[in-house]
Amino acid sequence: MRSRPKGSSSVVSKTASWIAVVVLWVLPMVFPSFVAQAVAQDAAPYIRMGSGAREMALGNAMAADRSGFSGGMYNPALAALVAEQRLEGTRAAMAFDRRLDVINYSTGLPPRAGVFMSLIHAGVDGIDGRDRNGFHTETISTSAYAVQLGFGIRLSSRLAAGIGLQVFRSELYETMPSVKTIALDIGVNFAVSEQLAIGLVIDDALGRFTWDSSGLYGSDGRQSTDVFPRRVRLGMHWDVLWGSVYG
């Protein structure tokens, strides 16, 4: 009976890590349409801008971040990896009178789970309102809110899964009723080796806004529906000797 050579398992692990790294770097180049895009004209664009200063600085590439710092906001499965309570607040200084405020909270639920909550407020001030003849009538502001709640659990030492619920509310104009919707996030995270982890996330499933402008335009008003963009994100977290590389 043959015995496996010493060190063979580490060689296999390193080989798998390098294969995964190459695949994840090449895929966005070969299939650029798979790369997540934050399109401004889609519904609720603020939810795709980021939910923390650290995460924004890293390009929001946090689908596989096993450090525990992102707390599940980018992948519900990562809530299971939070070791202690974390509270984070972010206020973005943005151009064109836009504002974005975020509060994130996450905590572990020993021995294998974790939960997170995020409050997001976005809006635009100083919008120049005009009538059909082009004359200034008023200055308009908009507001939007989102509440995220999620749960993650470690199914094994390598695999974690999670689900998140999002509740949205948007207010455009005083004579138009505010709109509300819910959406779901589903995510998994798998540690290929001690250095490499891969994350897969489905964002904003079921989310849609249905607007009714009859209160603003009377008989000329109509109902319209904006479906949230369906996003599937694949990410990689690679620990190397000089730090961490995120993708």
Side-chain angles (χ1 to χ4, degrees):
M1 190 173 178
R2 290 186 176 181
S3 60
R4 179 176 291 183
K6 294 182 178 180
S8 62
S9 60
S10 62
V11 172
V12 172
S13 177
K14 289 180 180 180
T15 302
S17 298
W18 278 107
I19 292 175
V21 168
V22 172
V23 169
L24 289 174
W25 279 349
V26 170
L27 272 179
M29 303 175 190
V30 179
F31 304 103
S33 62
F34 288 174
V35 179
Q37 299 179 4
V39 182
Q41 60 265 31
D42 285 333
Y46 58 90
I47 201 67
R48 297 179 291 278
M49 292 181 181
S51 62
R54 172 182 176 271
E55 292 78 7
M56 291 180 183
L58 292 170
N60 292 319
M62 312 299 290
D65 177 22
R66 293 180 66 89
S67 67
F69 290 108
S70 61
M73 275 65 75
Y74 287 83
N75 184 343
L78 300 179
L81 307 178
V82 177
E84 57 187 12
Q85 295 187 44
R86 298 187 60 84
L87 179 64
E88 176 186 17
T90 299
R91 182 157 199 177
M94 307 175 70
F96 305 112
D97 297 312
R98 295 174 297 166
R99 61 185 185 277
L100 179 66
D101 306 301
V102 184
I103 297 177
N104 296 324
Y105 173 78
S106 57
T107 183
L109 298 177
R112 297 188 302 149
V115 295
F116 69 91
M117 179 178 71
S118 181
L119 304 176
I120 301 175
H121 171 238
V124 181
D125 296 321
I127 300 173
D128 185 15
R130 293 179 178 268
D131 60 21
R132 294 180 180 180
N133 296 318
F135 294 104
H136 174 79
T137 57
E138 59 186 320
T139 300
I140 305 170
S141 298
T142 67
S143 291
Y145 307 87
V147 178
Q148 295 177 298
L149 302 171
F151 172 81
I153 186 169
R154 281 179 289 174
L155 303 176
S156 69
S157 59
R158 289 176 176 262
L159 179 64
I163 186 169
L165 172 68
Q166 302 180 85
V167 180
F168 296 90
R169 176 187 173 95
S170 183
E171 302 171 352
L172 286 187
Y173 193 67
E174 57 184 10
T175 58
M176 285 184 64
S178 60
V179 293
K180 309 174 188 66
T181 189
I182 62 172
L184 295 177
D185 294 343
I186 302 172
V188 294
N189 184 273
F190 181 74
V192 179
S193 66
E194 293 184 359
Q195 291 79 31
L196 179 67
I198 296 174
L200 178 66
V201 188
I202 299 174
D203 287 316
D204 303 331
L206 307 179
R208 64 182 61 206
F209 283 147
T210 300
W211 305 92
D212 185 358
S213 60
S214 59
L216 179 61
Y217 298 112
S219 60
D220 293 331
R222 63 185 179 90
Q223 282 194 351
S224 61
T225 299
D226 292 332
V227 179
F228 284 31
R230 304 292 185 258
R231 296 182 296 153
V232 179
R233 294 183 289 115
L234 179 65
M236 174 194 70
H237 176 107
W238 185 25
D239 285 327
V240 290
L241 291 177
W242 55 89
S244 296
V245 176
Y246 300 87

